[in-house]
Amino acid sequence: MPATRAPATPDDLAVDVRGLRKSYGDQTVLDGVDLAVRTGTVTALLGPNGAGKTTTVGILSTLLTADGGTARVAGHDVTSAPEAVRASIGVTGQASAVDDLLTGAENLRLMASLHHLGRHEGRARADALLDRFGLAEAARRPVATWSGGMRRKLDLAMTLVGEPAVVFLDEPTTGLDPRSRRALWDEVRALVAAGTTILLTTQYLEEADHLADRVAVLDGGRVVAEGTPEELKHAHDAGSLDDVFLRLTEPTTTTTEVA
């Protein structure tokens, strides 16, 4: 049997979700979701298309309003203290947020200005991130000329300009080649090693297995299983997360995810 872990307390949690609900008309997207993400860890949120993953991230990042339940991020309630939540988080969405007409350096400096950093501090932080992500040589070229992997690295670098305590990564490696995907994995590991908390949505079971401390499987708007990758494999007598995922999500739901 895998070693048991003491239950998390509210002070241990960077993300604390209880009974989260969201509907659009008669379409239920989230139906009482509970989710706990410990500080300084990676939690992977898995689920078929339409399970509610992106909607969950939207609520936690204050872009959407829940119909019911509670959610706290970095100790702040997403409903009563949205500004404090936004000051504590970074979000890398499925669609790239970079401006193709600007250079890499200009994109980062623009983000630094949006975070109200001074000119000197903003340039220094931009240069440090360009170096960290191996983008310094391309920094003065328009992003339109960059590869997909480079653009995704820049997208994550822009998320980190504000030095967030919690980062939401919504399918960050979709469409990347294996080399670029693994390079992004390395950056995620480095972030966690430095104390950042990450909630990751992904369609890649291998990604969850390699990166996540805990995995939550979302189906039909509910969390149907949660645990470490090894705990889930053991509980379902499976050799891989792929087997676990298929057993928990078949037949797939017909719910359409909105947002």
Side-chain angles (χ1 to χ4, degrees):
M1 290 288 291
T4 58
R5 189 174 188 179
T9 66
D11 289 342
D12 296 329
L13 300 179
V15 178
D16 187 5
V17 175
R18 304 185 186 189
L20 203 62
R21 297 181 180 277
K22 182 66 177 178
S23 298
Y24 294 92
D26 60 358
Q27 182 72 54
T28 299
V29 181
L30 299 178
D31 188 17
V33 168
D34 295 325
L35 185 65
V37 180
R38 287 178 181 265
T39 300
T41 66
V42 180
T43 292
L45 192 59
L46 299 178
N49 289 335
K53 303 184 301 296
T54 296
T55 300
T56 300
V57 171
I59 292 171
L60 294 178
S61 56
T62 75
L63 298 175
L64 297 173
T65 302
D67 297 331
T70 62
R72 297 180 68 83
V73 178
H76 308 292
D77 186 275
V78 299
T79 300
S80 62
E83 292 184 0
V85 171
R86 289 192 288 270
S88 303
I89 66 172
V91 182
T92 298
Q94 295 181 27
S96 176
V98 302
D99 189 324
D100 286 344
L101 299 180
L102 300 179
T103 68
E106 288 169 342
N107 268 282
L108 287 168
R109 291 170 187 169
L110 174 61
M111 186 60 66
S113 295
L114 293 175
H115 281 281
H116 306 291
L117 299 181
R119 179 181 175 87
H120 177 75
E121 184 181 3
R123 284 179 173 268
R125 193 166 299 180
D127 290 344
L129 286 166
L130 289 166
D131 287 336
R132 173 177 175 176
F133 284 87
L135 300 172
E137 290 187 5
R140 290 172 176 77
R141 296 201 331 248
V143 173
T145 67
W146 289 21
S147 69
M150 293 169 65
R151 290 163 57 89
R152 205 54 173 155
K153 284 184 179 181
L154 179 62
D155 209 14
L156 181 54
M158 291 174 66
T159 299
L160 301 180
V161 168
E163 299 182 337
V166 181
V167 174
F168 299 121
L169 301 179
D170 194 7
E171 299 187 14
T173 63
T174 298
L176 295 184
D177 61 82
R179 182 176 180 180
S180 296
R181 183 177 302 140
R182 289 186 178 274
L184 203 60
W185 289 1
D186 289 341
E187 292 301 333
V188 170
R189 293 188 185 102
L191 283 171
V192 175
T196 303
T197 304
I198 293 180
L199 177 62
L200 167 78
T201 75
T202 180
Q203 295 184 15
Y204 298 112
L205 281 298
E206 179 191 15
E207 187 161 82
D209 209 352
H210 277 74
L211 287 180
D213 298 290
R214 294 186 68 80
V215 174
V217 181
L218 191 64
D219 190 33
R222 290 178 174 271
V223 174
V224 295
E226 186 176 2
T228 69
E230 291 306 315
E231 285 171 346
L232 291 177
K233 293 174 196 175
H234 180 85
H236 295 275
D237 193 24
S240 69
L241 278 184
D242 299 75
D243 296 332
V244 175
F245 182 77
L246 288 172
R247 293 177 190 181
L248 290 171
T249 61
E250 286 188 338
T252 56
T253 62
T254 57
T255 303
T256 300
E257 183 171 338
V258 183

